[in-house]
Amino acid sequence: MVITARAQVLIVEDHPLYSDGLVHLLARQAPSLNCRVAADAAEALDVLSRSAGMDLLLVDRCLPGRMDGLSLLERAGQLYPTAGRVLMSGNDDPQLADQARRIGAMGFLPKSLPPPQWLAALETVLAGDPWFAPAASSPVSGLTPRQVMILQRIAQGWTNKLIARELAISERTIKYHLTEVFSRLNASSRAEAVARATALGWLVLARPVH
C-alpha cells in the first residue's frame, strides 16, 4: 500500500538503524510525507519550536536523557495540541497503550508490527482516527475503533469502495482491516463477522450511516 496523505512527520528515535529503516519505508510507501528525525526529547522540542507546523509525532518509548517518550508526548500535547501523537515501542505491553491513551495520544505501535500493518495504522492516524495495536485493545472490545466503523458500514450494505471514500482511506486498507476482523472473529464472510461481533457486544447496530 502507498499512503497519499500530505503531512509533516517527526520521528523521535535514538537508534539510527530503526529510524533510518522507518524513513526508508515511508519514503518508498508514503512519498508525500515530509519526515524529520530527532534523537531525543530535547532535539524533538527544538525541532517543534522551529517548525511551521508538525502534523504527526512518532515517538519511541525509551529515549536517552531526562524525558522519556511518554513524557515527551504529554509535553508536546500541551505545547502543540493540533499535532497527532503516537507512541512506538519494542515492548507490546498493553499497559503502554493505556498510558498513551491517558495522555491523549492517537495510537500505540509496537515495533514488531509488519510493514503492511504499520502502514495501515499510520494511514488511519493520518486520517484523524486513533489506532492501537489489536493486542492492546480494550478488554470490552476485541476490535479497534476503525474496525468497528468499517463493520457498521458493512452491516448497512456498503461496499469497500464506498467505505474507503467515506473514511478517506484506501480500499487496500479496508481489506487489511477486514482480514484482521475475520481472524479475530473466526468468521469467513462479512455477514458472519457482523453477526458474531453483534452477538459479542462488540458492535451495536444503530440507524443507517449517511
Side-chain angles (χ1 to χ4, degrees), residues 65-80:
R66 302 175 61 181
M67 187 179 292
D68 66 7
L70 280 166
S71 298
L72 172 59
L73 286 175
E74 186 170 21
R75 181 61 174 158
Q78 296 167 351
L79 296 173
Y80 311 98

Side-chain angles (χ1 to χ4, degrees), residues 51-68:
S51 300
M54 198 64 66
D55 300 297
L56 180 64
L57 279 68
L58 301 174
V59 179
D60 187 26
R61 168 67 174 84
C62 297
L63 295 174
R66 302 175 61 181
M67 187 179 292
D68 66 7

Side-chain angles (χ1 to χ4, degrees), residues 38 59 71 82 86 94 127 141 167 195:
V59 179
S71 298
T82 61
V86 173
S141 172
L167 298 182

Side-chain angles (χ1 to χ4, degrees), residues 1 120 123-124 146-147 149-151 153-154 158-182 190:
M1 66 176 294
E123 185 179 46
T124 297
R146 173 68 82 181
Q147 290 165 355
M149 292 172 68
I150 291 171
L151 266 189
R153 285 152 179 78
I154 284 176
W158 289 39
T159 64
N160 287 0
K161 184 175 182 179
L162 286 176
I163 297 172
R165 183 184 305 165
E166 202 254 346
L167 298 182
I169 58 179
S170 68
E171 287 186 65
R172 185 174 297 181
T173 298
I174 297 292
K175 292 177 182 178
Y176 169 78
H177 281 304
L178 286 178
T179 298
E180 290 287 302
V181 168
F182 287 1
R190 296 156 76 97

